[in-house]
Amino acid sequence: MATHKLNADTKGLTFDIFGTCVDWRSSVTKQLVAASRKAVDSSPSSPAKTKASHLIEQDWANIAAEWRATYYKFTRELASNPHAKFKTVDEHHHDALIDILATHGLEGLWDEAELQHLAFAWHRLDSWSDTNEGLKILGKHFATCTLSNGNVSLLKDMQQHSGMVFTHTFSGEMFGTYKPNPKVYLGAAEKLGVRPDQVVMVAAHIGDLKAAKSCGMQTIFVERPQEEFGDLEQAKREGYVDLWIGVSENGFLGVTKALGLA
C-alpha cells in the first residue's frame, strides 16, 4: 500500500458511524434474536410468539436490514426537504420497528417498554475489530469526530458501549437535518473552526463521500462487508475518493498505514 498524504494543514477526521465504525448487522440481529427467544419462552402464548418461534437467525437478520433501509429512506427524505419537521433517529427507529413487526405478523410480541429497549438496539452496536485501535492512533494526530445522522445521545451511548474514543461528537441533530445535506458537512468544519478542505470525511458509503467532496472536504473510503452496493468503479472514475482502503486492508488500521502513522 502506497503512503498517501493528506493536505498539510489537515486538522480533523470526521467519521460516518453506522457500517463504517460499527457492525450494525451482527449487533442488531443478535439483539433481535435474543429478545425474540425471551419473548417466545414467556407466557402466555400468542400468535406473534408462535410466528416468532419459527423464525431463524437469518430471518431476523433480514428484519434488521429492512429496519436499516427505513433509516436510509427517512434521513434522505428529511435531508432533501428544508420544511420538514425534524425527527430524531431514535424516534424513527421506534416507529419503524412497530411498522415492521406489524408487516411480519409480529405485533404484540413485545410490550411498549420492551419495544423501547429494542428501538435502542442501535445504541448498543459493536465496533469492527480494527476501529478502536485505529481511532486511538488517528486521535494522536487529528481531531476525530463522529459525523452521523444518529442523534447525540445515541452516539454517546454507542461510544460507551463499544469503547470507541472520539475527540468530538457531531450529529446531524446539531444542524437540524441529515446527511447528505451540505449543512451537516459544513457545520462540522465550522464547529472545528477550520475550512472544509482541512477536514476529511471517512465513510464506507460512497454517496456520503461524494456529498462531502462537493462541500470541499477530503475523503477516505473504507470498504466494509455488505455496506456499499453502489458502482465502485464509477466512483473511482469520478475521482471524489482521495484514499481507498479495500475490504482486505484492515479498515482503520489500513488508514493509519496508508497515512504513514502505523
Side-chain angles (χ1 to χ4, degrees):
M1 180 188 297
T3 300
H4 176 88
K5 297 295 184 183
L6 298 176
N7 292 348
D9 57 353
T10 297
K11 303 298 183 183
L13 306 182
T14 57
F15 294 81
D16 172 68
I17 301 301
F18 297 114
T20 302
C21 296
V22 296
D23 177 6
W24 63 266
R25 290 178 186 275
S26 297
S27 301
V28 173
T29 300
K30 178 173 62 178
Q31 293 181 69
L32 287 171
V33 168
S36 68
R37 288 175 179 170
K38 182 178 179 181
V40 167
D41 291 341
S42 66
S43 296
S45 61
S46 69
K49 291 180 181 180
T50 300
K51 178 72 178 291
S53 70
H54 292 97
L55 298 182
I56 61 174
E57 183 172 339
Q58 185 57 53
D59 294 320
W60 288 109
N62 293 340
I63 288 174
E66 186 178 344
W67 198 4
R68 174 67 172 165
T70 70
Y71 161 93
Y72 278 120
K73 184 174 185 292
F74 157 70
T75 54
R76 277 150 183 74
E77 287 179 350
L78 196 147
S80 65
N81 184 355
H83 305 295
K85 181 181 178 181
F86 187 78
K87 180 179 181 180
T88 68
V89 166
D90 273 345
E91 292 169 331
H92 166 75
H93 279 152
H94 175 270
D95 296 346
L97 179 59
I98 291 173
D99 291 342
I100 289 169
L101 293 175
T103 298
H104 290 274
L106 296 168
E107 64 269 48
L109 184 60
W110 297 293
D111 63 27
E112 178 54 36
E114 292 165 333
L115 280 172
Q116 187 61 59
H117 181 75
L118 265 183
F120 272 49
W122 301 89
H123 290 229
R124 303 181 293 271
L125 305 184
D126 299 328
S127 50
W128 295 106
S129 60
D130 56 81
T131 297
N132 294 13
E133 183 62 23
L135 286 174
K136 182 178 178 181
I137 296 169
L138 293 167
K140 294 177 181 179
H141 302 271
F142 309 99
T144 54
C145 322
T146 70
L147 192 58
S148 171
N149 288 336
N151 40 285
V152 173
S153 61
L154 182 159
L155 295 172
K156 289 185 175 180
D157 285 349
M158 196 192 304
Q159 290 172 66
Q160 183 174 6
H161 170 83
S162 66
M164 296 185 295
V165 176
F166 296 89
T167 62
H168 299 72
T169 300
F170 296 158
S171 161
E173 181 183 28
M174 294 176 169
F175 313 109
T177 188
Y178 291 124
K179 296 184 297 178
N181 192 301
K183 289 181 180 179
V184 180
Y185 306 100
L186 297 175
E190 183 178 0
K191 281 189 172 295
L192 285 174
V194 301
R195 302 186 311 270
D197 64 291
Q198 294 175 297
V199 183
V200 184
M201 185 71 218
V202 184
H205 310 110
I206 55 177
D208 201 352
L209 298 178
K210 188 172 186 177
K213 176 61 74 171
S214 72
C215 292
M217 296 173 72
Q218 300 172 76
T219 57
I220 297 176
F221 177 66
V222 178
E223 192 172 0
R224 298 294 194 185
Q226 296 184 279
E227 273 306 305
E228 182 52 68
F229 298 98
D231 189 337
L232 299 185
E233 292 305 315
Q234 178 66 24
K236 289 179 180 179
R237 288 192 296 271
E238 292 185 21
Y240 54 81
V241 175
D242 296 318
L243 173 60
W244 196 289
I245 303 297
V247 72
S248 63
E249 294 181 281
N250 208 12
F252 289 2
L253 291 175
V255 173
T256 69
K257 184 177 180 181
L259 296 180
L261 304 176

